[in-house]
């Protein structure tokens, strides 16, 4: 038989591009076309009032409530209080410190997220180990001539981020230790890890926060008062490390037994084996899981309200109770929801993207 | 735990005395006795599930044994972790599925254990690694990751990685059975060269050509026992036991 190599031809025009997509998914046959039109019509009818309220009849500029017509949303309220929503009661002259910390954090994360950039390992160490110190110095001050800012002045989105980021970063090492403990051959270590993990996973965060705020001081000597924020952070970290432990355990289980055996056969000790061979491979697999727990924690941080910390949600509620702005809580909630959504959605997209990449094996190294 | 009751023979690299092992209720290894002299090359064969892997994995304690003694280079293998680690330093192992570390380059795979276990300075470890990578004929791949190599190349890296620890004994567990036919030869060539240089080797394999070329002794195992043990010529030409004959006819005819 005789054959010639055939040229690859482009696909027919009707199957590609926007039109092709629409034909395939929206107007494939009369039934599908009718459904598309009807549902499209309903969606417009339904969403129109919302769009009208949020954009068309809304008021954007001004300084007081008198600048709002009342027909649509009054975004003037958000505009006026934006600084407070972002920085809490942090002194205005010092807010650059929060901005700087945020920019550094985003730069670090950006570096880690973009696959092309080199030196991921050292960068991860910098983000997880060194950045927390930089952020601590910047935020609380008291060093290098930075004016100290008491933690009860912290609030808003920056407090939300502090709670969530510290919660995750601090929980990671404990989570790793707990997961290793749970897989240990030593019965006592294993039982203790299991008990810890199962207890913390079985209680709601709100009780943990309450206990951290009310019970923790009972364990300390009389008169030793320690920071409310610190107490909340300890509570969140202990809670979060139990969840983290399960994520880590999942990652460890995915590492083939041959990797453990090869490390053993070469004479590596337990910690050498874990730190140099198993964990680096497992951590890569754990990233989607870590991102998911981070999303959950990020939303849960608004519970700190009950122990009197003013995160983004709490500070918005307080502002909406201000006599000058009473009646604009809806705008506040929409704004807060939007902020949470933007953070969580981008994280969730990233995690999906990663799962796909790990799945197809491009992330193998 | 168990004190060395009997004297230890300096001529022996590995000695198994009345070795017994169970997986739960299942008696995998039954009274195994084996002496391997320094520099000796042993090939172990037998049907699937006969306990070949289990036996050689006991020698570096990847599997625990319940009864009997294992003596490697004069040291008794017990629960003592220090002792286990020191035996593992002297015993290299090559696996069926290579088990290279996928997140490290070929060179890093090779220098990791020398640096962290034997405390060799990095420069020296890298020089040694390059020497062995040259011997297995892939020095140009040193900077690549295992996933970028073919099966045969990966297995040769795995051999080089073991050699970097400068072992006295090498264990091979079916090193070629996960490879495509055209890659088997390149790995066997490396192993033959190693054997010629006088390395003590225990090799589970069904490559009978290899056994005939280099083995000093062939051991046949079935259902957890050593059934027959002989030098290769006699083993292949007039096996004593029916079981061995059956096995050989199956393996040579297919
Ligand atoms: N971890 C384990 N738990 C229980 N049984 C096991 C375990 N590992 C192996 N076995 C059993 O022990 C027996 C011997 O296994 P082993 O792997 O040593 O056989 P083998 O001779 O190497 O076979 P193969 O040629 O298939 O590699 C088999 O019957 C196997 O099912
Ligand atoms: Mg086997």
């Amino acid at each position: 038989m005789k054959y010639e190599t055939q040229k690859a031809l482009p696909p027919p025009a009707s199957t590609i591009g926007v039109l092709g997509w629409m034909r395939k998914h929206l107007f494939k046959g009369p039934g599908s076309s009718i459904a598309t039109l009807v549902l499209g019509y309903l969606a417009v009818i339904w969403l129109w009032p919302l769009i009208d309220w949020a954009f068309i009849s809304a008021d954007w500029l001004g300084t007081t409530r008198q600048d709002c017509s009342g027909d649509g949303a009054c975004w003037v309220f958000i505009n006026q209080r934006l600084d407070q929503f972002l920085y809490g009661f942090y002194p205005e002259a010092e807010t650059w410190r929060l901005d700087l910390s945020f920019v550094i954090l985003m730069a670090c994360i950006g570096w880690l997220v973009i696959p092309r950039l080199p030196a991921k390992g050292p960068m991860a160490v910098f983000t997880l180990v060194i950045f927390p110190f930089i952020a601590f110095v910047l935020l609380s001050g008291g060093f290098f001539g930075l004016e100290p800012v008491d933690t009860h002045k912290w609030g808003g989105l920056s407090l939300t981020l502090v709670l969530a980021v510290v919660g995750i970063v601090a929980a990671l090492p404990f989570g790793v230790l707990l997961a290793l403990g749970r897989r240990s051959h030593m019965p006592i270590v294993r039982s203790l890890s299991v008990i810890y993990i199962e207890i913390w996973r079985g209680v709601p965060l709100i009780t943990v926060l309450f206990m951290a705020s009310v019970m923790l001081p009972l364990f300390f000597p009389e008169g030793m008062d320690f920071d409310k924020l610190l107490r909340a952070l300890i509570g969140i970290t202990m809670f979060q490390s139990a969840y983290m432990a399960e994520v880590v355990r999942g990652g460890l289980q995915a590492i083939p037994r041959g990797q453990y055996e090869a490390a053993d056969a070469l004479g590596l000790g337990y910690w050498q084996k874990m730190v140099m061979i198993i964990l680096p491979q497992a951590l890569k697999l754990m990233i989607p899981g870590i991102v998911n727990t981070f999303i959950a924690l990020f939303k849960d941080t608004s519970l700190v309200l009950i122990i009197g910390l003013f995160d983004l949600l709490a500070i918005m509620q307080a502002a909406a109770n201000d006599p000058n702005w009473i009646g604009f809580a809806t705008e506040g909630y929409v704004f807060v929801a939007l902020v949470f959504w933007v953070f969580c959605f981008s994280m969730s997209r990233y995690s999906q993207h990663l799962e796909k990449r790990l799945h197809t094996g491009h992330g193998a190294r | 735990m168990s004190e060395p009751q009997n004297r230890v023979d300096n001529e022996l690299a590995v000695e198994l005395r009345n070795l017994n092992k169970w997986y739960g209720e299942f008696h995998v290894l039954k009274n195994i006795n084996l002496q391997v002299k320094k520099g000796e090359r042993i090939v172990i064969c037998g049907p699937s599930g006969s306990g070949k892997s289990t036996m050689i994995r006991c020698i570096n304690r990847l599997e625990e044994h319940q009864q009997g003694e294992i003596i490697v280079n004069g040291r008794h293998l017990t629960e003592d972790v220090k002792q286990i680690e020191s035996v593992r330093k002297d015993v290299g192992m090559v696996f069926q599925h290579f088990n290279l570390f996928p997140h490290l380059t070929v060179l890093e795979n090779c220098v990791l254990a020398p640096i962290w276990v034997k405390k060799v300075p990095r420069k020296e470890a890298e020089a040694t690694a390059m020497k062995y990578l040259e011997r297995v004929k892939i020095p140009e791949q040193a900077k690549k990751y295992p996933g970028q190599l073919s099966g045969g190349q990966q297995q040769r890296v795995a051999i080089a990685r073991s050699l970097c620890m400068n072992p006295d004994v090498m264990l091979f567990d079916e090193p070629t059975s996960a490879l495509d036919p055209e890659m088997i030869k390149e790995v066997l060539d490396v192993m033959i060269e190693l054997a010629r240089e006088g390395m003590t080797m225990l090799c589970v394999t069904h490559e009978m050509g290899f056994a005939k070329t280099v083995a000093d002794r062939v051991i046949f195992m079935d259902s957890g026992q050593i059934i027959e043990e002989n030098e290769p010529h006699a083993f292949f030409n007039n096996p004593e036991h029916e079981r061995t004959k059956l096995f050989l006819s199956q393996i040579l005819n297919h």
Side-chain angles (χ1 to χ4, degrees):
Chain A
M1 220 163 79
K2 177 171 123 64
Y3 79 98
E4 290 166 28
T5 321
Q6 300 207 354
K7 268 219 201 89
L9 300 171
S14 60
T15 62
I16 51 167
V18 181
L19 281 178
W21 184 88
M22 279 173 62
R23 188 170 301 167
K24 181 161 175 229
H25 294 273
L26 298 178
F27 299 102
K28 197 175 190 178
S32 153
S33 306
I34 292 172
T36 302
L37 291 176
V38 170
L39 288 175
Y41 177 70
L42 284 178
V44 170
I45 299 260
W46 247 53
L47 287 178
W48 183 251
L50 185 64
I51 294 169
D52 181 51
W53 177 82
F55 300 104
I56 298 179
S57 314
D59 298 290
W60 301 84
L61 299 171
T63 46
T64 65
R65 60 183 306 148
Q66 273 71 43
D67 295 318
C68 287
S69 61
D71 298 337
C74 178
W75 299 122
V76 179
F77 165 53
I78 307 295
N79 239 333
Q80 284 301 301
R81 295 304 184 97
L82 194 59
D83 274 4
Q84 216 182 54
F85 291 168
L86 295 183
Y87 306 122
F89 308 104
Y90 212 83
E92 224 183 304
E94 307 291 331
T95 51
W96 63 270
R97 283 152 52 177
L98 297 178
D99 293 338
L100 182 59
S101 313
F102 185 72
V103 168
I104 300 178
L105 178 64
M106 285 300 138
C108 291
I109 291 176
W111 189 295
L112 291 173
V113 162
I114 298 171
R116 257 175 308 122
L117 295 176
K120 291 275 190 271
M123 205 55 204
V125 171
F126 177 83
T127 314
L128 293 176
V129 181
I130 301 176
F131 172 73
F133 287 100
I134 299 178
F136 176 76
V137 169
L138 277 171
L139 263 59
S140 51
F143 302 92
F144 311 116
L146 292 172
E147 184 196 323
V149 179
D150 207 78
T151 55
H152 70 251
K153 291 187 180 153
W154 300 16
L157 182 60
S158 48
L159 180 69
T160 300
L161 286 171
V162 166
L163 289 166
V165 172
V166 171
I168 284 290
V169 172
L172 192 58
F174 292 114
V176 168
L177 289 180
L178 283 167
L180 293 179
R182 191 164 189 166
R183 286 168 62 90
S184 160
H185 294 297
M186 290 177 272
I188 301 194
V189 174
R190 192 171 56 226
S191 323
L192 286 178
S193 311
V194 171
I195 292 170
Y196 181 95
I197 293 171
E198 294 308 332
I199 286 184
W200 287 93
R201 288 212 309 159
V203 266
L205 180 58
I206 200 158
T207 22
V208 174
L209 287 170
F210 201 68
M211 304 261 280
S213 138
V214 179
M215 306 256 303
L216 216 52
L218 301 181
F219 295 104
F220 291 94
E222 191 82 24
M224 185 181 139
D225 176 42
F226 83 123
D227 205 275
K228 202 198 285 178
L229 176 60
L230 186 59
R231 276 182 277 165
L233 285 175
I234 291 175
I236 288 180
T237 304
M238 292 173 88
F239 177 83
Q240 197 59 25
S241 40
Y243 280 90
M244 201 57 103
E246 291 301 287
V247 174
V248 177
R249 192 165 67 109
L252 290 177
Q253 266 164 354
I255 303 299
R257 215 178 72 181
Q259 293 290 307
Y260 292 87
E261 288 176 351
D264 283 339
L266 286 168
L268 295 173
Y270 177 81
W271 289 108
Q272 292 175 333
K273 170 173 72 180
M274 285 302 164
V275 172
M276 294 187 293
I277 308 299
I278 306 300
L279 284 173
Q281 296 182 57
L283 274 167
K284 222 167 274 174
L285 301 174
M286 279 150 34
I287 296 173
I290 293 178
V291 175
N292 284 338
T293 49
F294 188 76
I295 293 174
L297 176 67
F298 189 77
K299 290 185 294 185
D300 280 353
T301 50
S302 35
L303 294 171
V304 293
L305 170 69
I306 66 137
I307 59 168
L309 289 173
F310 285 87
D311 77 313
L312 178 59
L313 180 64
I315 216 152
M316 188 283 298
Q317 286 174 333
N321 282 332
D322 176 346
N324 292 326
W325 288 106
I326 229 139
F328 294 118
T330 315
E331 282 84 345
Y333 282 115
V334 168
F335 171 73
V336 169
L338 198 66
V339 172
F340 272 99
W341 184 80
V342 165
F343 274 92
C344 293
F345 181 69
S346 29
M347 288 188 280
S348 121
R349 285 318 295 247
Y350 174 62
S351 130
Q352 276 174 18
H353 158 79
L354 259 184
E355 267 164 40
K356 231 179 263 161
R357 216 169 56 126
L358 291 174
H359 193 72
T360 51
H362 292 308
R365 37 172 280 231
Chain B
M1 295 285 286
S2 61
E3 287 295 307
Q5 299 117 347
N6 311 328
R7 85 198 157 74
V8 166
D9 193 330
N10 282 331
E11 290 296 294
L12 294 182
V14 177
E15 185 176 9
L16 309 180
R17 292 183 191 158
N18 298 322
L19 181 69
N20 279 285
K21 173 167 176 64
W22 289 262
Y23 281 122
E25 291 286 299
F26 177 53
H27 201 169
V28 218
L29 296 179
K30 300 168 185 159
N31 244 4
I32 302 274
N33 281 290
L34 177 66
Q35 298 193 329
V36 182
K37 292 200 200 67
K38 286 184 177 156
E40 219 180 353
R41 278 105 19 170
I42 307 250
V43 162
I44 301 154
C45 60
S48 177
S50 54
K52 308 174 300 285
S53 300
T54 311
M55 182 177 84
I56 68 164
R57 288 156 58 86
C58 280
I59 295 171
N60 63 354
R61 193 88 178 178
L62 288 184
E63 303 287 349
E64 266 175 53
H65 61 283
Q66 282 93 16
Q67 265 178 27
E69 285 175 75
I70 300 177
I71 305 156
V72 181
N73 270 346
R75 278 169 307 198
H76 286 249
L77 258 183
T78 59
E79 270 138 51
D80 181 4
V81 179
K82 282 271 155 312
Q83 191 83 320
I84 295 172
E85 280 174 9
S86 91
V87 165
R88 283 174 176 169
K89 263 190 233 177
D90 297 348
V91 178
M93 182 157 199
V94 175
F95 300 86
Q96 181 174 2
H97 296 286
F98 334 134
N99 297 350
L100 293 175
F101 306 130
H103 62 303
L104 301 176
T105 62
V106 164
L107 187 64
E108 284 169 305
N109 262 281
C110 291
V111 298
L112 184 97
I115 290 175
W116 292 94
V117 177
K118 288 202 150 172
K119 316 289 177 208
V120 177
R122 176 170 277 272
K123 274 250 145 49
E124 199 182 315
E126 281 178 358
T128 316
M130 286 315 294
K131 184 180 92 188
Y132 285 116
L133 286 174
E134 248 150 64
R135 260 184 48 187
V136 301
K137 304 186 183 62
I138 32 176
E140 70 282 358
Q141 314 284 3
K143 292 275 178 277
K144 287 198 184 162
Y145 286 86
Q148 298 166 301
L149 305 185
S150 74
Q153 291 173 323
Q154 290 193 41
Q155 193 60 298
R156 285 183 283 150
V157 172
I159 294 174
R161 176 175 74 176
S162 292
L163 292 176
C164 284
M165 287 294 280
N166 215 352
D168 300 321
V169 180
M170 285 284 283
L171 309 174
F172 294 83
D173 191 357
E174 308 205 26
T176 55
S177 52
L179 297 176
D180 292 339
E182 68 264 34
M183 293 170 186
I184 291 181
K185 187 174 174 298
E186 64 188 46
V187 171
L188 286 181
D189 284 347
V190 167
M191 290 169 61
I192 291 171
E193 203 186 308
L194 197 60
R196 298 233 157 97
E197 285 161 16
M199 173 65 76
T200 313
M201 292 164 76
L202 282 92
C203 185
V204 176
T205 183
H206 291 151
E207 293 295 332
M208 292 307 147
F210 174 77
K212 284 176 190 158
T213 325
V214 301
D216 296 308
R217 250 191 302 159
V218 181
I219 287 176
F220 176 71
M221 282 182 80
D222 190 24
S223 52
Q225 284 170 293
I226 294 182
I227 306 267
E228 185 158 350
E229 162 173 2
N230 216 332
E231 54 84 24
H233 187 76
F235 181 88
F236 290 111
N237 293 322
N238 31 39
E240 249 172 71
H241 293 265
E242 280 311 309
R243 190 68 194 81
T244 321
K245 282 178 197 158
L246 181 65
F247 175 77
L248 284 177
S249 71
Q250 279 166 349
I251 207 167
L252 296 176
N253 290 340
H254 105 135

